[in-house]
Amino acid sequence: MKSYALFLGCTIPARQPNYEISARKSLEKLGIELVDLDNMTCCAPPPLRSIDLKTSLALAAYNICLAEEADLDIVTLCTGCFESLAMTNSLLRDNMKLREEINGILSAVGKEFKGVKEVKHYLQVLVNDVGLTRLKREVLKPLDNLKVAAFSGCHLIRPSKYLKFDDPERPRIYDSLIEVLGAKSIWYRNKLRCCGGLLRGYADDIALAIARDKIVNAVSAGAECIATLCPFCFLTLDLGQMLIKSTYKEEYNLPIIHYAELLSLSLGVDPKELALEIHKIKIDKVLEKIGW
Amino acid sequence: MSTIRFMEEIRRRYGGETIALCYQCGTCTGSCPVSKTSDRYNPREIIRLALLDNRQEVLYGDAIWLCASCYNCQERCPQGVEIAEIIFTLRNLAIREGKIPKLYEEFANNLVASGRLAPISKFLEKKRAEYGLPPMKPVDIEAVNKIFSATGFLELFSRSKGEKS
Amino acid sequence: MEEIKVGVFLSDCGGQLSKILDFNAITSFVKSIPGVTFVAQANEFWRGDGLKIILEAIESRQVNRIVVAESIPKVSEVAIAKAVEEAGLNPHFVEVIDLKDHCAWPHRDSPLEATEKAKAMLLAAIEKVKLMEPIERAEYPAVKSVLVIGGGIAGMQAAEDLAEMGFQVYLIEKEPFLGGLAARANRFFPTDDCAICIQSPSSLKTVANTSRKCVYRSGISELPNLKIYTSSKVVKVEGAPGNYRVAIEQRPRYVEIEKCIACNLCSNTCPVEVPDEYNAKLKTRKAIYITTPLVYPPAYVIDEKACKFHECAKCVEVCPTKAIELDQKPKQVILNVGSIIVATGFKEFDPSVIKEYHYDEYPDVITNLEFARMIDSFGPTNGAIIKPSNREPVKHIVFVQCVGSRDRRWNPYCSSICCMISLKHAIFVKETNPEIDVTICYIDIRTTGREHEYYYERARELGVKFVKGRPAEIIHDPATNKLIVEVEDEILKKFLELEADLVVLATAMVPPEDAKELANILGLEIDSDGFFKEYNAKLRPTETMHRGIYICGGATFPKDAPTASLHAHSAAIKAAKFLMNGKIVKDLKVAVVNEDYCGDCEFCPVTCPYNAISLVPKDNGRLVAKVSDLLCEGCGVCVGTCPVGAIELKHLKNNQILAQIRALLSINGSSKPLVLAICCSECGHAAVDSSGMAMMSYPANVRVLRVPCAGIIQVQHILEAFRAGAQGVMIVGCKPDGCHHGVGAQKAQRKVELAKRLLSEYGVEPERLEMLNLLFIEGDKFAEAAKKMTELVESLEFIKLP
Ligand code: SF4
Ligand code: SF4
Ligand code: SF4
Ligand code: SF4
C-alpha cells in the first residue's frame, strides 16, 4: 500500500470539510494510505510570496523537510499548496546556490532540504498510483454523461516549467480522470483561465467579474457543473454565485463540485457522509442524475 | 533613495532577473484574466514603467496588487520574462517601502501568530470530530518564527508597520 | 649542410629612427651575434636601391637568411620575399620586424631603453631565421567542376553562373522538382513578379530572346555543361579541395524524364488519392503527380508512400510513351568535383508547438506559405481565398507576426522576411478582394530593404488594419466556426477579440531538417540557430572554414529573393576563382606530426578549425594524427592543444618560439621589470602596430612575440617566459567570436586560466598573466594594458621561476 504525507494546508481544514472528507474517503477506498504529520505549516502561497519571496521558499522547504524526515512523498489537495511546494521542490533541486541559501535559513531550526521526496497532487496519485484502468473498474455509480466543465485552477498546471504536471495549453490528465467516471468533460471558452480567486479581499469587483466570466462560459457551453480541485476556486465560484446574484442580478445556479466529491460519489460513498451542506449552490440535480 | 536605476534594482533581486528581456509584445496582457476584465491592470505596462525607471509610480500605485498570480502570461511570454515573479518582486520592494495592503498585513499577522493563514478555532475542532475527521496536527510556532527571523521577515514586517504609523 | 649566413638590413626610415635609436650601437651589437655575416643600413629596403642591397648580399656574400627592420612590415614583407625568391632563396627565410611602430615611436621618450629593446628584437628575429627550414611550394590539381546542393533560387543561379563560365556543374535537389521554397511562394517582393522566374542563361541564344523566364522554360536545363539530379541527396564526400569524390543517392522517380510528355493520363487513371502537401493539403493529388504545370523537370513522379505499385499498375498501361517503370531502384552516382556550393535554403517552422495558436487543431489557422498556395491561380483553390474548414468565402483575415521568431523558446532570431511576406499578402488580398477585412497583428514591422517601406505604406492606404500587439491566443468557437484572436492593442491599451475566418501565421523560417546531417558530411559548422556558418560574416560571407566549399542563399539565414540571388552570384565567383587555374598552389606553411610522440588522443583532430587532421593507422595498427597539407591553414591551434608536443608548425617550430622568448627577454636596458606580450598575427599584433602608428607610448620593457594565432600558445610557453625573466605576460588575441581561426582566442583563454592556476601553485601571483582580446583599432587599449601590467609587476616582488 502506497503511503503519503497529506498536506492539508490552511483553507481546507478551515472552510471545506467537504473536500477533506471526500479526498480521504476516495483515497482510502482506492488503497492509498494518508499520514498526517506533525508541524506542517502554511504552504507559502502567493500572498506570502508577495511579502517576501525568500521567506516563502524557506517556509515551503521547511514543510518538505518534514516529509523528507518521515521518508514520505507529499500529496496535496489544494492546487495552491501543490504549486508552492512542488515549485519550491523543483527550484531547490536544480539551483544549488539557492538551495544553499535556503538551507542556511533552515539551519536555524535544524532542518536541511535534500530534495529526495516528491510533491504530488491528489490527481497524480489517482492517475499514476491507481491508474485509469483500475479507477474505471472501481466506479460503482458512473456519472451518466454528466456534462462537466473541468476547471483545474491555475496552479495545478502553471508555471509548467516547475510543476511539469501536464501540458499548460492542452492539459489532458484532468479531463481523462473526469471521463473515466462516466462524465463528459466539455469544451468551454477560456477553460484554462484563472477564476480570479486571489483578488478576493483586495479587488472584489475584479475578482467577481472574472468569476462571472467563468460561470457564463461554462453555462453557455451547457455545463451541468464545474468540477474544481482548489478550495479557492471552489469558494470563488460557489459563494461567488451568491455575490453575482446580488451584484449583477444574475442567477446561474451552476453547481460547483470538487473532483474528489464526484469521485467519492461514483465510488459509492453515501452523499450524507460528504458534508455537502457546505455547498452554497445546491448540487441535488447532479446527485439526482447520478442516481443518489 | 537608491542610487541605482530602478530596472537594475529589480533585476538584481531574486525573481526580477528576467525583466530586461521584455520587448513589449503584449502577449502577457493579452493572456491576462485581470487585464481582460479591468483596465486598472496591464502587466506589460507595469514592466514598461519599470524598465523606464518609474519607481514611484510602480511601487506606490495600485496596479502591482492586482495580479491574480495565475502565471498565464509567464507561460506564454516569448522572451521568457517571468512576469508573475517580477510582480512578486515589485510587491516585495513596495512592502520594504512600507506599502502593504491590509489584507496582506492580516495574513502576515495570522502566520506569525499561528503558522496558518487562518487559525483553527475550538469550534472547528469540534466540527471536525463530528465529521469524523482526525484532530488537526499542531504547528511548531517557535520553529516558524525562527525561520521568519532568519529571513528578516519579522523585521521587515514591523518596519513596514512602523513607517506607516 | 650549408653554413648559415644571416644578413641584417636596418632601415632608419629616412633618418627618422636614428633620431631615437642609436644605430651604431645596434649595428655593433648585431655584428657580434654568431651567424650574422652582413649588416647594412639604408633609408628603406623594400624597394629600389635598398632592395638591391639585399639582393647583392645574397649574390656576392652568400647571405642565406635575411632579417629586415622595416617600418611598414605588412607590405614590405611581401615585396622582399618576392624579390628574394627570384634571387633563388626560399622566401620564408626572410624575417621582417618593425623597429618604428613597435619600438622607436612608442618609446621615443626613452631612447636608451628603446635602443636596448631594438637589440632584443633583432636578436629574436635572427635566432628565428637561423632555425628556419625551407618551406616547399606544392601544387594540387583541381577539377574544374562544381557540385551545387539545392535547387532553389540560390542554387539555380549559382549553377547557371558557373555553367556559363565553362565549369562542369552538377545541380542536385532533394525534391522531385526544382524551385525550392520560392516556387511555392507565388509572388515575390519587392518586384511583385512570379516567384518561379529566373534569369535565362545568356549563352543560349535560342531562349534568350527575353531576359527572364520561368524556371521550366528558362533554358537552364539546356546548358550543355549543367547536369540536374532531382530527388537526390549527398550521402558521402571524400577527397580534398579541388578534388572531391561525392556520392549522391537518387531516389527513383519511376517515370523516365526523357519519355514523359506530361499528358496527365496516368494521373487521371491513378486510383490513389492523398492530401497534397505541396498545396498545403488544401486539395488532394494522385500517387502519380506533378506539383504544378510550371516545373522542371516537366515529368510526373510517383509518390512511393502512396503508390500500390504492381498491385495496381494502371498508369503503366495508359502511359502512351511507356515512360513509367515501377521497378526503378535508388541509384548511387559518384561525382568528381573540385568545389561544392551549399544552397539548401530554409523551410517554414512548424507552428504546432505554439499550442495557444492551435495550428494543428484548427484548419482555418494556416501559415503564410499555405496562404501563398491559396492565392496562386495554379494552386489548390485556383486563387480563391476560402476557409479550409468548410471552403466558404472569407470575410475577415488576421495575420499574426513573429510566430516562432523572436521567441526565445523556439527561434530567438528575427526571420527577417515574414513582415514583408505578410504585407505582400495583405496587399494582394486588398487589391483583389477589397471587401475582405485584413488585420496584421505585429510586435514591430520590419521593412528594412529597398522599397520595402513602400509596401507598408501601400498596405495602409489599401485599408489594412495594423494592431500593435502579439496575440495571446487563437480561439475557435464551435458554435459559429469562427476564430477569435485575443490580443492587446498596445497603443490603445485595449483588450481586443478579433473575429476571423482565416488566421495566417507569419511563421519563422528555420533550417531544413537535414542541415545538420549535411554539415557533418561536409565537415561544415552550424551556428547556434542551426544555419550554415560562414567564414566571416563581413568579409567572406559565402566562404566556409573548409576552403573549396561555399554556402549561399537561405542556407546561411532566411533571405528574400534578391539577397539570395546576390549571395548565389558571390558563391559562384568564389568557387570559380578557386578552380579557374585548374590547380591549387600553396606554400606548405603547415603543421607536421612527430609520429613517434603522437599518442592518438584525438585532441588535435577535434580541435583543428579546418578539419585538416585525421587519425590514420600505422603499420603496427597504432593510430597517429595526419595533417592534410591542403586543408591546413597553419594556424597552430593544434600545437596549443597537443598534450605531448607531438605536432608543430613547419614555419614556426617550437624551438623557434622558445628561442625568440629567450632572446626578447635576454636584454632589458630599462629599470622596469620585463613583460612579454605574445600576440596573434591577426588582430592582436595589428593592435600593437596601431598603438605605435598612433604614437601612443608604453614602456620599453614590454616585448612582443608574434605567433600565427593565440590558439598556438601552450602553458609551457607562458612558463618559459617567466623562467626567462619575464615578470608579467600578456596574451593578445582577437575577440573571442572574431578569431580568424574560429576557436583560437577561446583556446588561449583556457590556457591562460590553466596557467594562472599553475602559477598560483608555484606561489606566483596569477595577475602577472593577462589575456587581452583586441581589434586593430584598439591600440590604445594595448598601450594602456602594457602600462598597467608594468605598474603591477613593479609593485610586486621580483620572481624567477626555476
Ligand atoms: S509577454 Fe513578455 S516580452 Fe511580451 S510584453 Fe509581456 S513580458 Fe514583455
Ligand atoms: S500572473 Fe498576473 S499578470 Fe500574469 S496573467 Fe495572471 S493575473 Fe495577469
Ligand atoms: S501504379 Fe501507383 S501511380 Fe500508377 S496508377 Fe497505380 S497507384 Fe497510381
Ligand atoms: S595548424 Fe591549424 S589548420 Fe593546420 S592542422 Fe593545426 S589546427 Fe589545423
Side-chain angles (χ1 to χ4, degrees), chain A residues 258-285:
Chain A
H258 278 307
Y259 177 76
E261 295 177 301
L262 285 176
L263 175 59
S264 297
L265 291 169
S266 66
L267 292 178
V269 178
D270 188 331
K272 286 194 220 48
E273 294 175 27
L274 289 174
L276 296 179
E277 65 276 12
I278 297 293
H279 292 256
K280 296 278 185 265
I281 305 294
K282 292 303 154 209
I283 67 166
D284 301 356
K285 269 187 289 174

Short mmCIF file of all heavy atoms in Angstrom, two decimals, chain A residues 258-285:
data_model
loop_
_atom_site.label_atom_id
_atom_site.label_comp_id
_atom_site.label_asym_id
_atom_site.label_seq_id
_atom_site.Cartn_x
_atom_site.Cartn_y
_atom_site.Cartn_z
N HIS A 258 -16.19 19.66 -6.06
CA HIS A 258 -14.80 19.23 -6.10
C HIS A 258 -14.71 17.89 -6.81
O HIS A 258 -15.57 17.03 -6.64
CB HIS A 258 -14.24 19.09 -4.68
CG HIS A 258 -13.81 20.39 -4.09
ND1 HIS A 258 -12.93 21.25 -4.72
CD2 HIS A 258 -14.13 21.00 -2.92
CE1 HIS A 258 -12.73 22.30 -3.96
NE2 HIS A 258 -13.46 22.19 -2.86
N TYR A 259 -13.65 17.71 -7.53
CA TYR A 259 -13.48 16.43 -8.21
C TYR A 259 -13.51 15.29 -7.20
O TYR A 259 -14.08 14.22 -7.46
CB TYR A 259 -12.16 16.40 -9.00
CG TYR A 259 -11.94 15.05 -9.65
CD1 TYR A 259 -12.64 14.70 -10.80
CD2 TYR A 259 -11.08 14.12 -9.08
CE1 TYR A 259 -12.49 13.45 -11.37
CE2 TYR A 259 -10.92 12.86 -9.65
CZ TYR A 259 -11.63 12.53 -10.79
OH TYR A 259 -11.48 11.28 -11.36
N ALA A 260 -12.92 15.51 -6.04
CA ALA A 260 -12.89 14.46 -5.01
C ALA A 260 -14.31 14.03 -4.63
O ALA A 260 -14.57 12.86 -4.34
CB ALA A 260 -12.13 14.92 -3.79
N GLU A 261 -15.21 14.99 -4.64
CA GLU A 261 -16.61 14.67 -4.32
C GLU A 261 -17.22 13.81 -5.44
O GLU A 261 -17.89 12.81 -5.17
CB GLU A 261 -17.41 15.96 -4.15
CG GLU A 261 -16.96 16.78 -2.95
CD GLU A 261 -17.72 18.10 -2.82
OE1 GLU A 261 -17.66 18.93 -3.77
OE2 GLU A 261 -18.36 18.32 -1.78
N LEU A 262 -16.98 14.25 -6.68
CA LEU A 262 -17.51 13.46 -7.80
C LEU A 262 -16.97 12.03 -7.74
O LEU A 262 -17.71 11.06 -7.91
CB LEU A 262 -17.10 14.10 -9.13
CG LEU A 262 -17.86 15.36 -9.55
CD1 LEU A 262 -17.27 15.92 -10.85
CD2 LEU A 262 -19.35 15.06 -9.74
N LEU A 263 -15.68 11.93 -7.45
CA LEU A 263 -15.05 10.61 -7.40
C LEU A 263 -15.67 9.78 -6.28
O LEU A 263 -16.06 8.62 -6.48
CB LEU A 263 -13.54 10.75 -7.21
CG LEU A 263 -12.75 9.47 -7.01
CD1 LEU A 263 -12.93 8.52 -8.20
CD2 LEU A 263 -11.25 9.75 -6.83
N SER A 264 -15.79 10.39 -5.09
CA SER A 264 -16.35 9.65 -3.96
C SER A 264 -17.75 9.15 -4.31
O SER A 264 -18.10 7.99 -4.06
CB SER A 264 -16.42 10.53 -2.72
OG SER A 264 -15.11 10.89 -2.34
N LEU A 265 -18.56 10.04 -4.88
CA LEU A 265 -19.92 9.65 -5.23
C LEU A 265 -19.91 8.49 -6.21
O LEU A 265 -20.67 7.53 -6.07
CB LEU A 265 -20.67 10.84 -5.84
CG LEU A 265 -20.99 11.99 -4.86
CD1 LEU A 265 -21.49 13.21 -5.62
CD2 LEU A 265 -22.03 11.53 -3.83
N SER A 266 -19.05 8.55 -7.17
CA SER A 266 -19.06 7.47 -8.17
C SER A 266 -18.47 6.19 -7.59
O SER A 266 -18.75 5.10 -8.07
CB SER A 266 -18.32 7.90 -9.44
OG SER A 266 -16.97 8.07 -9.15
N LEU A 267 -17.66 6.33 -6.54
CA LEU A 267 -17.13 5.12 -5.90
C LEU A 267 -18.15 4.53 -4.92
O LEU A 267 -17.88 3.54 -4.25
CB LEU A 267 -15.83 5.43 -5.15
CG LEU A 267 -14.61 5.81 -5.99
CD1 LEU A 267 -13.42 6.13 -5.10
CD2 LEU A 267 -14.25 4.70 -6.97
N GLY A 268 -19.28 5.23 -4.79
CA GLY A 268 -20.34 4.68 -3.96
C GLY A 268 -20.39 5.21 -2.54
O GLY A 268 -21.08 4.67 -1.69
N VAL A 269 -19.65 6.29 -2.27
CA VAL A 269 -19.73 6.88 -0.92
C VAL A 269 -21.09 7.56 -0.79
O VAL A 269 -21.53 8.28 -1.69
CB VAL A 269 -18.59 7.90 -0.70
CG1 VAL A 269 -18.71 8.52 0.68
CG2 VAL A 269 -17.23 7.24 -0.89
N ASP A 270 -21.72 7.36 0.34
CA ASP A 270 -23.06 7.93 0.57
C ASP A 270 -22.94 9.45 0.66
O ASP A 270 -22.15 9.97 1.46
CB ASP A 270 -23.62 7.37 1.88
CG ASP A 270 -25.08 7.76 2.07
OD1 ASP A 270 -25.49 8.85 1.57
OD2 ASP A 270 -25.81 6.97 2.70
N PRO A 271 -23.75 10.20 -0.12
CA PRO A 271 -23.66 11.66 -0.08
C PRO A 271 -23.82 12.21 1.33
O PRO A 271 -23.26 13.26 1.65
CB PRO A 271 -24.82 12.12 -0.97
CG PRO A 271 -25.31 10.92 -1.70
CD PRO A 271 -24.75 9.70 -1.07
N LYS A 272 -24.53 11.51 2.16
CA LYS A 272 -24.74 12.03 3.51
C LYS A 272 -23.44 12.13 4.29
O LYS A 272 -23.32 12.90 5.23
CB LYS A 272 -25.73 11.11 4.25
CG LYS A 272 -27.16 11.30 3.77
CD LYS A 272 -28.11 10.64 4.74
CE LYS A 272 -29.27 9.89 4.10
NZ LYS A 272 -28.99 8.96 3.00
N GLU A 273 -22.48 11.32 3.90
CA GLU A 273 -21.20 11.34 4.63
C GLU A 273 -20.28 12.47 4.15
O GLU A 273 -19.18 12.62 4.66
CB GLU A 273 -20.45 10.01 4.39
CG GLU A 273 -21.13 8.81 4.99
CD GLU A 273 -20.41 7.51 4.61
OE1 GLU A 273 -19.18 7.56 4.36
OE2 GLU A 273 -21.08 6.47 4.56
N LEU A 274 -20.71 13.23 3.15
CA LEU A 274 -19.74 14.09 2.47
C LEU A 274 -19.82 15.58 2.84
O LEU A 274 -19.16 16.40 2.22
CB LEU A 274 -19.88 13.94 0.95
CG LEU A 274 -19.39 12.60 0.39
CD1 LEU A 274 -19.70 12.50 -1.09
CD2 LEU A 274 -17.89 12.42 0.61
N ALA A 275 -20.61 15.94 3.83
CA ALA A 275 -20.73 17.34 4.26
C ALA A 275 -21.12 18.25 3.11
O ALA A 275 -20.59 19.36 2.94
CB ALA A 275 -19.41 17.82 4.90
N LEU A 276 -22.05 17.78 2.31
CA LEU A 276 -22.42 18.53 1.10
C LEU A 276 -23.17 19.82 1.42
O LEU A 276 -23.35 20.67 0.55
CB LEU A 276 -23.25 17.65 0.16
CG LEU A 276 -22.51 16.43 -0.40
CD1 LEU A 276 -23.43 15.61 -1.31
CD2 LEU A 276 -21.26 16.85 -1.17
N GLU A 277 -23.57 19.96 2.68
CA GLU A 277 -24.28 21.19 3.05
C GLU A 277 -23.37 22.42 2.92
O GLU A 277 -23.85 23.56 2.90
CB GLU A 277 -24.82 21.09 4.48
CG GLU A 277 -23.77 21.00 5.59
CD GLU A 277 -23.26 19.57 5.82
OE1 GLU A 277 -23.54 18.69 4.97
OE2 GLU A 277 -22.56 19.34 6.82
N ILE A 278 -22.09 22.21 2.81
CA ILE A 278 -21.15 23.32 2.61
C ILE A 278 -21.46 24.06 1.31
O ILE A 278 -21.26 25.27 1.21
CB ILE A 278 -19.70 22.77 2.57
CG1 ILE A 278 -19.30 22.12 3.89
CG2 ILE A 278 -18.71 23.86 2.15
CD1 ILE A 278 -19.19 23.09 5.05
N HIS A 279 -21.94 23.34 0.31
CA HIS A 279 -22.21 23.97 -1.00
C HIS A 279 -23.28 25.05 -0.87
O HIS A 279 -24.35 24.81 -0.37
CB HIS A 279 -22.69 22.92 -2.01
CG HIS A 279 -21.63 21.94 -2.39
ND1 HIS A 279 -20.97 22.00 -3.59
CD2 HIS A 279 -21.10 20.89 -1.72
CE1 HIS A 279 -20.09 21.01 -3.65
NE2 HIS A 279 -20.16 20.32 -2.52
N LYS A 280 -22.96 26.22 -1.35
CA LYS A 280 -23.96 27.31 -1.38
C LYS A 280 -24.94 27.04 -2.52
O LYS A 280 -26.13 27.27 -2.39
CB LYS A 280 -23.27 28.66 -1.60
CG LYS A 280 -22.35 29.04 -0.46
CD LYS A 280 -23.12 29.67 0.69
CE LYS A 280 -22.19 30.16 1.79
NZ LYS A 280 -22.00 29.19 2.87
N ILE A 281 -24.41 26.61 -3.64
CA ILE A 281 -25.28 26.23 -4.76
C ILE A 281 -25.55 24.74 -4.60
O ILE A 281 -24.63 23.93 -4.62
CB ILE A 281 -24.59 26.48 -6.12
CG1 ILE A 281 -24.14 27.94 -6.25
CG2 ILE A 281 -25.49 26.07 -7.28
CD1 ILE A 281 -25.25 28.96 -6.30
N LYS A 282 -26.77 24.41 -4.40
CA LYS A 282 -27.09 23.01 -4.08
C LYS A 282 -26.79 22.11 -5.29
O LYS A 282 -26.96 22.51 -6.44
CB LYS A 282 -28.56 22.90 -3.67
CG LYS A 282 -28.83 23.59 -2.35
CD LYS A 282 -27.92 22.98 -1.24
CE LYS A 282 -27.66 23.97 -0.11
NZ LYS A 282 -26.38 23.78 0.57
N ILE A 283 -26.39 20.91 -4.99
CA ILE A 283 -25.96 20.04 -6.09
C ILE A 283 -26.95 18.89 -6.30
O ILE A 283 -26.62 17.87 -6.90
CB ILE A 283 -24.53 19.51 -5.85
CG1 ILE A 283 -24.48 18.56 -4.64
CG2 ILE A 283 -23.55 20.64 -5.63
CD1 ILE A 283 -23.17 17.77 -4.59
N ASP A 284 -28.15 19.08 -5.81
CA ASP A 284 -29.16 17.99 -5.87
C ASP A 284 -29.37 17.46 -7.29
O ASP A 284 -29.50 16.27 -7.52
CB ASP A 284 -30.50 18.49 -5.31
CG ASP A 284 -30.34 18.96 -3.87
OD1 ASP A 284 -29.20 18.81 -3.35
OD2 ASP A 284 -31.29 19.49 -3.29
N LYS A 285 -29.39 18.42 -8.24
CA LYS A 285 -29.63 18.00 -9.63
C LYS A 285 -28.58 16.98 -10.07
O LYS A 285 -28.87 16.01 -10.74
CB LYS A 285 -29.56 19.22 -10.57
CG LYS A 285 -30.92 19.86 -10.78
CD LYS A 285 -30.82 20.95 -11.85
CE LYS A 285 -30.05 22.15 -11.31
NZ LYS A 285 -29.77 23.20 -12.28
#
